[in-house]
């Protein structure tokens, strides 16, 4: 591909008509795409509950069992895309792996820029973390390069779940597999906001465990579920944006892992912090810089135009343009 390449699709969907540049999906494609995504989401969440146990979700035994089932479903998830493509008659130019963001072109920028952009957004929390951390900067560097530290991390089942397995499998299933099925039907812009709905709803399964182990009042659990749905839906839209703009899976995975580590910004703690003026200024600066860098850091030009998923539509969305 070249930077000036025409974004008219290299693939053509049988039955798709184009009139004055307007992309018209064939009849029934949207239903097949949505049902395929729903089935994939149910398979992912369902795999977490194939094991009968009275233990909480953070118990190492439960985590190991869920690793097994969720890795199997994630490993089979490309078959959903393959079956969808075969059933709908969509003919793709890029390979199936390339459509799912697994490719070498533009890999280095895809590793660095989206993660850097996300860290800019979290400038406030990072500043707060740095001020409260008892380590010096040099101590932090030493720990980061200490093999024993990483051995401890990888032996911790909760760390492995939050930082490795969950980001990798969730981004593979809910972004890399679902977006190629939704983009030909809805276009890139709509797909970005449709895809996270499956991701957000999938996190409602935590309500079952909270109710099961009576971890809070009914109203508290409900409010927590609504907040989690909202937060995961917004985050899902952001990583879907990154996936479409970069055409890579690695960027969303790294951003997901970083956000899991940081958690939701502790704004109330920032308001009570002795250095709250500095921290709140960092929060504001981070948001402003994030908005300024959002499009430049995800410019498809750095990741080789057109990104594979953008070849699935003739829509002239800004998401696919440099």
């Amino acid at each position: 591909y070249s930077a000036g390449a025409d974004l008219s699709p290299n693939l053509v969907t049988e039955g798709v008509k184009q009139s004055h540049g307007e992309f018209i999906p064939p009849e029934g494609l949207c239903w097949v795409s949505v049902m395929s995504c729903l089935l994939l989401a149910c398979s992912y969440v369902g795999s977490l509950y194939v094991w009968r146990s009275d233990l909480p979700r953070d118990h190492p035994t439960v985590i190991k069992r869920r690793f097994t089932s969720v890795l199997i479903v994630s490993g089979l998830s490309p078959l959903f895309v393959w079956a969808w493509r075969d059933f709908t008659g969509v003919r793709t130019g890029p390979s199936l792996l390339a459509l799912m963001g697994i490719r070498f072109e533009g890999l280095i920028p895809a590793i660095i820029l989206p993660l850097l952009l996300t860290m800019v957004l979290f400038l406030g929390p990072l500043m707060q973390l740095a001020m409260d951390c008892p380590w010096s900067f040099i101590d932090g560097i030493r720990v980061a390069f200490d093999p024993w530290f990483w051995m401890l991390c990888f032996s911790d089942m909760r760390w492995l779940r939050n930082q490795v397995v969950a980001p990798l499998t969730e981004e593979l299933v809910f972004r890399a597999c679902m977006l190629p099925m939704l983009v030909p039907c809805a276009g890139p812009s709509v797909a970005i906001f449709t895809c996270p709905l499956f991701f957000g709803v999938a996190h409602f399964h935590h309500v079952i465990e909270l109710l099961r182990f009576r971890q809070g009042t009914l109203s508290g659990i409900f409010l927590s579920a609504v907040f989690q749905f909202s937060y995961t839906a917004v985050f899902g839209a952001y990583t879907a944006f990154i996936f479409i703009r970069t055409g890579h899976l690695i960027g969303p995975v790294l951003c997901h892992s970083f956000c899991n580590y940081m958690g939701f910004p502790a704004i109330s703690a920032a308001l009570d912090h002795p250095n709250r003026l500095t921290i709140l200024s960092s929060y504001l600066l981070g948001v402003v810089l994030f908005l300024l860098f959002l499009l430049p850091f995800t410019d498809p030009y750095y990741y080789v135009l057109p990104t594979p998923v953008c070849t699935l539509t003739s829509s002239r969305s800004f998401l696919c343009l440099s």
Side-chain angles (χ1 to χ4, degrees):
Y1 300 113
S2 64
D6 186 359
L7 288 183
S8 295
N10 294 327
L11 56 94
V12 179
T13 304
E14 292 181 4
V16 171
K17 299 179 180 179
Q18 297 183 42
S19 175
H20 304 292
E22 181 183 359
F23 180 79
I24 305 176
E27 185 178 355
L29 175 62
C30 288
W31 279 108
V32 174
S33 298
V34 170
M35 293 307 296
S36 297
C37 291
L38 184 60
L39 179 61
L40 187 54
C42 290
S43 299
Y44 184 91
V45 176
S47 71
L48 301 175
Y49 293 94
V50 296
W51 309 97
R52 281 192 166 187
S53 176
D54 293 327
L55 300 172
R57 66 185 294 266
D58 286 336
H59 193 280
T61 300
V62 174
I63 295 175
K64 289 177 183 179
R65 288 175 176 176
R66 289 184 169 185
F67 277 0
T68 302
S69 55
V70 83
L71 286 171
I72 291 174
V73 170
S74 300
L76 295 175
S77 61
L79 294 178
F80 282 79
V81 186
W82 176 83
W84 165 85
R85 183 179 63 175
D86 188 63
F87 182 80
T88 59
V90 171
R91 299 197 300 272
T92 59
S95 67
L96 190 64
L97 288 178
L99 288 175
M100 294 171 57
I102 303 172
R103 61 193 183 106
F104 289 107
E105 298 89 352
L107 180 61
I108 300 302
I111 292 173
I112 298 173
L113 294 181
L115 179 58
L116 183 59
L117 178 65
T118 307
M119 293 176 72
V120 167
L121 178 62
F122 277 79
L123 182 61
L126 286 172
M127 179 68 72
Q128 188 174 346
L129 187 64
M131 286 183 172
D132 294 338
C133 183
W135 296 345
S136 68
F137 178 76
I138 300 299
D139 290 336
I141 295 296
R142 287 174 180 168
V143 170
F145 285 95
D146 185 355
W148 180 246
F149 168 76
W150 291 106
M151 288 178 63
L152 289 175
C153 288
F154 278 91
S155 63
D156 183 341
M157 289 296 103
R158 286 184 297 178
W159 185 93
L160 199 58
R161 176 192 63 193
N162 296 338
Q163 308 308 136
V164 181
V165 176
L168 178 60
T169 58
E170 289 180 1
E171 294 304 320
L172 174 63
V173 169
F174 291 95
R175 248 66 71 186
C177 288
M178 290 190 181
L179 282 170
M181 293 191 286
L182 292 171
V183 166
C185 161
S189 300
V190 176
I192 278 182
F193 296 102
T194 305
C195 187
L197 298 180
F198 297 100
F199 184 59
V201 170
H203 281 75
F204 263 108
H205 74 92
H206 292 308
V207 174
I208 299 174
E209 297 185 358
L210 292 175
L211 290 172
R212 183 181 175 189
F213 293 100
R214 299 176 182 178
Q215 297 177 348
T217 63
L218 184 61
S219 59
I221 291 173
F222 175 76
L223 289 175
S224 175
V226 171
F227 172 78
Q228 189 172 40
F229 171 79
S230 304
Y231 178 65
T232 53
V234 170
F235 173 77
Y238 172 59
T239 54
F241 173 88
I242 292 175
F243 181 85
I244 289 179
R245 291 278 287 175
T246 68
H248 279 276
L249 174 61
I250 186 66
V253 170
L254 292 176
C255 293
H256 194 146
S257 180
F258 174 77
C259 289
N260 277 1
Y261 172 76
M262 294 300 296
F264 192 80
I267 299 176
S268 59
L271 292 172
D272 296 330
H273 201 279
N275 299 306
R276 59 179 175 273
L277 183 59
T278 302
I279 292 175
L280 292 175
S281 298
S282 299
Y283 269 84
L284 180 60
L285 180 61
V287 172
V288 171
L289 291 177
F290 172 78
L291 294 175
L292 288 175
F293 294 149
L294 181 60
L295 293 182
F297 275 34
T298 60
D299 191 328
Y301 174 80
Y302 298 121
Y303 311 99
V304 184
L305 279 167
T307 55
V309 73
C310 283
T311 65
L312 291 166
T313 176
S314 60
S315 172
R316 292 282 179 173
S317 171
F318 79 96
L319 297 169
C320 296
L321 299 174
S322 176

